[in-house]
Amino acid sequence: MIRPLLFLFVSSASLLAAAKPNVLLICVDDLKPLLGCYGDQVVKSPNIDRLAARGVLFEKAYCNQAVCSPSRNALLTGLRPQALGIYELATNFRKAAPNAVTLPQHFKANGYRAEALGKIFHVGHGNVNDVDSWSVPHYTPKTISYALKQNDLPQSTREQALFENKTEAWKLPRGAATEAADVADNKYGDGMIADEAIKRLQAAKQKPDEPFFLAVGFLKPHLPFVAPKKYWDLYDPASFKLPALQTPPEGAPEFAPTTWGELRQYMDVPEKGPLTEKQALHLIHGYHAATSYMDAQLGKVLDALDASGLAGNTIIVFWGDHGWHLGDHGMWCKHTNYEQAGHIPVIVSAPGIKAARTQALIESCDIYPTLAEMAQLPAPPQGDGRSFASVLRAPTTSTRDHAIHVYPRGGGLIGRAIRTQRHRLVEWKKPGDAPENAVLELYDYEADPAETKNLAAAQPEVVAGLRKLLAQHPEAKPQISAKSEAKAAPAKKPVQDRGKMFDQRDKDKDGQLTKEEFLINQPDPDEAPKRWTKFDTDGSGTLSREEFVKGGRK
């Protein structure tokens, strides 16, 4: 009897190992829930829509911060930005959490082949990929942003250089914000990523006993809005309209909106002030075209998964890293705590899960523990996330009564935002400051879904209730900086040579800095324009060497 029992035990163990679900994680850069499955009547997103038709669509999913690197850190470590103390692009998460076990690393440690294509971790602006997370080297398409000769400059554009971690990117020319070239899909990066994903799925079919964790990071609709012409041609330009609200919420603090410095890094975009109506409508068209292009690449990957025969045992998670202001409130890009920046698309399709829609509140950091539970792996060794696997089985339930996200502003301010089913409260203060000194915003999405007015002063009882929820969370950590390292080695503390900085910015060598020259290579493009008046003491519209040097020492 011993041998037959042993045989049955070994056979059962083998079956369990073979039954481990695969994971296909689709990460999309700058994608807001502007999709057919989320109710939009203009955008063409048939492949995302068909994924939603076989999965659970989360109508109230929120990023943990509306900017690439902190948002992806939350997804991949389960740690919120305020727990890491990282709110910008340049600081690698391992500086704050050197021993963190990432989502793919956790699966790799439990017998999975972990692979990544395209943009998963934020790479660029000084940040790098995490080699410990992957079983094989990360795949990045060797491509440029542009296909047309007039846009394909012999050197990198300013934005390309930042993503390539090149130094002195400010010296380079600004690139085009849009492009519609009559080229094949794989002339641009997302087409190359889709082609490689198909190869990886075909290879996985040949190794049925080795479960895979495949992370596919599509680049569009991130700026620049480049896509083959056929995706632009899906839309009649006359069908686009400007958002009705063109101003920030009434009563909002002046620092809460974004000045959309990211978009201003592209040519034909003004360095300050609004876009023309023609420019705005063209950018809206470009965002739609780039979304449809990315959607088509997703369709190819889903087709390949179905053709491989592996779909029946594969968990698919579709996730947008944050939203995007598309002219609403007179704003563009992300970089705020408002609904258009914080609201994200999340769709989960898995074996045994019925298609549904849910109002359950979730955060990006919840995806890590959810996938671990669904794959029957140990819980993550760290993180702020909460598994929503139970919601997938019962979509009318919820695991949270609120979500929390953050955004920083100049002077060390951190805006911590509580989002419930109806309200959002934002508390702006420096970490450690007394709560009574905070600046507050309150919005009611039943009475005022467009965020036209800050209601904090008018509804103190609502504010008090939401602040009780906020009090459940630890204080935000300040941004990690090099100051502690400088204290450890004071002799190496860098000293700014502001005269040299002036010379580097004075491109035409006329002894004066225009505002454009002043903004070159500023590390905080949203905040830097606000410092201009501090430097321009005589109001002349240009800076002398003396004004620039003295202004930086105040």
Side-chain angles (χ1 to χ4, degrees):
M1 292 294 292
I2 295 177
R3 287 185 177 178
L5 285 173
L6 180 61
F7 174 78
L8 286 172
F9 176 79
V10 173
S11 297
S12 298
S14 298
L15 286 171
L16 285 172
K20 279 185 176 182
N22 303 305
V23 176
L24 176 60
L25 174 64
I26 306 292
C27 301
V28 187
D29 209 356
D30 284 16
L31 180 68
K32 64 194 301 177
L34 186 73
L35 302 165
C37 54
Y38 278 86
D40 189 83
Q41 300 298 309
V42 176
V43 74
K44 306 295 192 298
S45 56
N47 297 293
I48 301 172
D49 299 346
R50 69 173 164 120
L51 177 61
R54 74 194 215 192
V56 177
L57 181 148
F58 286 82
E59 295 185 336
K60 290 186 176 173
Y62 291 89
C63 67
N64 290 107
Q65 186 185 329
V67 70
C68 296
S69 188
S71 175
R72 289 164 186 268
N73 289 343
L75 171 79
L76 296 162
T77 69
L79 291 164
R80 296 181 177 120
Q82 61 268 39
L84 286 168
I86 298 175
Y87 308 95
E88 35 81 296
L89 301 179
T91 305
N92 188 270
F93 73 92
R94 292 212 180 270
K95 184 173 181 181
N99 298 317
V101 177
T102 68
L103 168 58
Q105 194 176 6
H106 190 49
F107 274 77
K108 185 175 72 164
N110 284 277
Y112 279 73
R113 181 178 176 85
E115 303 178 66
L117 319 174
K119 185 173 179 178
I120 305 301
F121 288 98
H122 180 85
V123 177
H125 301 83
N127 213 331
V128 295
N129 190 31
D130 187 62
V131 295
D132 291 339
S133 291
W134 312 112
S135 304
V136 296
H138 181 279
Y139 171 82
T140 300
K142 293 186 181 300
T143 181
I144 56 171
S145 297
Y146 305 103
L148 295 177
K149 186 176 181 180
Q150 64 265 32
N151 295 328
D152 181 15
L153 304 178
Q155 56 185 327
S156 294
T157 64
R158 190 177 302 177
E159 282 294 292
Q160 281 178 291
L162 290 171
F163 281 101
E164 294 165 357
N165 281 330
K166 292 182 177 178
T167 59
E168 298 188 318
W170 57 270
K171 291 184 176 180
L172 298 171
R174 297 191 295 171
T178 65
E179 182 179 273
D182 192 6
V183 295
D185 285 6
N186 59 8
K187 178 66 175 177
Y188 294 117
D190 279 355
M192 297 181 184
I193 291 167
D195 288 350
E196 184 64 25
I198 292 168
K199 293 177 183 177
R200 301 295 177 95
L201 290 170
Q202 291 170 343
K205 182 180 179 181
Q206 307 305 315
K207 300 177 181 179
D209 295 331
E210 183 182 31
F212 65 78
F213 181 102
L214 179 60
V216 180
F218 289 120
L219 308 173
K220 298 302 159 190
H222 192 287
L223 285 165
F225 299 150
V226 301
K229 181 176 179 294
K230 62 183 177 181
Y231 298 104
W232 288 79
D233 292 344
L234 291 174
Y235 300 96
D236 175 4
S239 68
F240 297 111
K241 307 296 181 186
L242 294 180
L245 184 63
Q246 291 288 312
T247 57
E250 179 185 344
E254 64 177 10
F255 53 76
T258 174
T259 54
W260 33 287
E262 178 186 9
L263 180 60
R264 298 185 193 278
Q265 293 297 311
Y266 291 87
M267 67 172 66
D268 300 326
V269 175
E271 295 172 20
K272 61 180 179 178
L275 300 172
T276 66
E277 180 177 357
K278 181 178 179 181
Q279 288 172 323
L281 291 173
H282 182 67
L283 286 171
I284 292 171
H285 186 178
Y287 187 92
H288 283 71
T291 297
S292 292
Y293 166 58
M294 176 276 301
D295 176 86
Q297 309 321 301
L298 171 67
K300 296 172 186 177
V301 175
L302 294 178
D303 289 344
L305 178 65
D306 291 339
S308 72
L310 299 171
N313 190 38
T314 299
I315 302 166
I316 305 173
V317 174
F318 179 90
W319 171 81
D321 61 353
H322 44 69
W324 221 78
H325 289 285
L326 205 56
D328 65 282
H329 297 92
M331 292 186 281
W332 297 83
C333 310
K334 46 266 191 187
H335 311 118
T336 74
N337 271 324
Y338 295 120
E339 184 76 2
Q340 294 298 322
H343 190 203
I344 61 173
V346 172
I347 301 168
V348 181
S349 173
I353 299 299
K354 296 181 180 179
R357 306 175 75 89
T358 179
Q359 291 285 311
L361 287 157
I362 64 169
E363 303 173 19
S364 292
C365 64
D366 295 335
I367 290 174
Y368 186 168
T370 301
L371 281 173
E373 181 179 344
M374 294 175 72
Q376 299 183 21
L377 303 187
Q382 82 284 316
D384 302 307
R386 186 177 297 176
S387 173
F388 55 78
S390 61
V391 177
L392 297 172
R393 298 187 291 269
T396 58
T397 64
S398 184
T399 59
R400 292 188 178 278
D401 61 1
H402 69 276
I404 184 169
H405 57 93
V406 299
Y407 207 85
R409 281 293 183 251
L413 284 178
I414 302 291
R416 294 193 298 163
I418 291 290
R419 180 60 159 96
T420 66
Q421 290 287 345
R422 179 169 179 173
H423 295 98
R424 173 180 281 109
L425 174 77
V426 187
E427 177 195 76
W428 292 97
K429 70 183 188 69
K430 295 180 181 180
D433 279 3
E436 56 266 26
N437 296 331
V439 177
L440 302 175
E441 293 180 85
L442 174 68
Y443 301 98
D444 181 339
Y445 295 95
E446 289 184 12
D448 183 23
E451 297 169 322
T452 64
K453 185 175 182 179
N454 177 11
L455 303 172
Q459 299 186 11
E461 292 183 1
V462 176
V463 169
L466 294 172
R467 294 194 91 171
K468 288 181 180 178
L469 297 179
L470 186 60
Q472 298 174 12
H473 296 271
E475 179 68 277
K477 292 181 180 178
Q479 167 66 39
I480 291 176
S481 71
K483 290 183 179 179
S484 59
E485 296 173 7
K487 289 179 181 177
K492 296 182 179 180
K493 183 176 181 179
V495 177
Q496 286 187 330
D497 184 341
R498 297 197 59 77
K500 182 177 180 181
M501 292 168 65
F502 181 93
D503 293 337
Q504 289 174 333
R505 285 173 165 79
D506 186 14
K507 309 305 290 185
D508 56 7
K509 305 304 178 186
D510 65 349
Q512 298 286 325
L513 294 188
T514 64
K515 189 172 183 181
E516 179 184 12
E517 291 173 325
F518 171 76
L519 294 174
I520 289 173
N521 206 30
Q522 294 284 2
D524 52 350
D526 266 358
E527 297 298 321
K530 300 175 184 178
R531 295 195 294 271
W532 172 256
T533 54
K534 167 189 161 184
F535 282 79
D536 187 16
T537 55
D538 61 3
S540 66
T542 61
L543 301 184
S544 67
R545 176 183 288 271
E546 182 180 6
E547 284 178 314
F548 181 80
V549 172
K550 286 186 176 180
R553 292 174 179 170
K554 292 179 181 179

